[in-house]
Amino acid sequence: MTDPPNAPSGSPTPAAMPQTRPVLRNPAWMRVVGATSEQFETEQFIASYTSMARDLAQDFSDDAERPLSARAMAIRRRVAVQVLSDLQVLRRQAVAGTAYGDGVRTGSAWKYPVSDRHGRIGELKHPNDGPDGAHRVVDVMGWQYRLYFSRPDVRPGLMLWLQAGRKPIDGDWRTIQSAHIELAKATLNQWHLAQGGPPEASRG
């Protein structure tokens, strides 16, 4: 089985910054999160992103209740590809410091940290209000998507990608999201240990 489109690469890369014109960075992002000089995708991030993308493709390619026309199937495939493309754009915006919003309001594309008890773990959110604040789309066919990251204090400038996931807008969404955040936290602890330091939970 081939990887879904826009799958992560898995190797450390320098942060991609546009070179053709000045970047209008988001002051709120720069104040709270800071500038990025490099990024790294953990194995957990790659695995969870790939799994999420495959689930998305499956959900948008068939209908258990009734057969879909060729046109309807084509529309669903375009939606799935667009969601993955939007997530990659959101990642590039985060690395460039241009992610939309103040990190507080509901429509913001990010939050850092996700909560006081989870330390240096943030999230990118899709969908969001967008730069004009006019999108007002809260879900994509009943789902919201999250990309969890960290800015480890021992490596200033690093964007560390930890976990990808999606949650339904109703039902047991809180439990699902909490599980994703706990996986992100565990991945961050493993990263710290691999660097020869204490886990995040024991850091001051």
Side-chain angles (χ1 to χ4, degrees):
M1 181 180 295
T2 59
D3 286 338
N6 297 310
S9 64
S11 59
T13 58
M17 298 293 185
Q19 301 296 319
T20 56
R21 56 185 176 181
V23 177
L24 299 177
R25 293 175 172 172
N26 179 351
W29 174 277
M30 297 304 294
R31 182 177 63 255
V32 176
V33 182
T36 298
S37 57
E38 60 177 331
Q39 58 181 323
F40 182 77
E41 297 165 340
T42 62
E43 292 183 2
Q44 176 61 29
F45 178 81
I46 295 169
S48 60
Y49 186 100
T50 302
S51 176
M52 179 187 70
R54 287 175 175 161
D55 288 344
L56 168 65
Q58 180 63 38
D59 287 351
F60 280 45
S61 64
D62 196 5
D63 193 312
E65 297 180 357
R66 57 194 173 99
L68 298 176
S69 66
R71 182 174 180 273
M73 291 284 285
I75 292 172
R76 286 198 173 197
R77 282 194 292 268
R78 285 199 296 271
V79 171
V81 170
Q82 186 62 53
V83 168
L84 296 176
S85 176
D86 289 345
L87 289 173
Q88 292 305 310
V89 169
L90 188 55
R91 288 184 65 190
R92 290 195 294 270
Q93 291 171 342
V95 169
T98 62
Y100 167 76
D102 59 9
V104 177
R105 293 183 178 87
T106 301
S108 294
W110 59 280
K111 186 176 182 181
Y112 185 80
V114 291
S115 70
D116 292 339
R117 70 186 185 89
H118 286 107
R120 296 176 180 272
I121 295 176
E123 66 177 358
L124 301 181
K125 304 188 289 183
H126 178 72
N128 54 73
D129 283 354
D132 58 4
H135 290 184
R136 303 302 179 193
V137 176
V138 298
D139 67 278
V140 180
M141 294 186 69
W143 293 94
Q144 296 177 337
Y145 296 82
R146 297 291 186 266
L147 302 178
Y148 297 98
F149 65 91
S150 183
R151 303 304 297 262
D153 58 346
V154 297
R155 190 122 161 228
L158 174 64
M159 175 70 78
L160 184 64
W161 299 105
L162 301 172
Q163 174 74 28
R166 62 177 187 162
K167 61 177 181 176
I169 60 173
D170 52 18
D172 203 16
W173 66 267
R174 193 180 301 276
T175 299
I176 293 171
Q177 183 172 25
S178 294
H180 291 156
I181 295 173
E182 289 301 323
L183 284 169
K185 187 174 181 180
T187 302
L188 178 57
N189 286 339
Q190 292 171 0
W191 182 87
H192 276 297
L193 291 171
Q195 307 306 305
E200 177 74 14
S202 64
R203 305 187 70 83

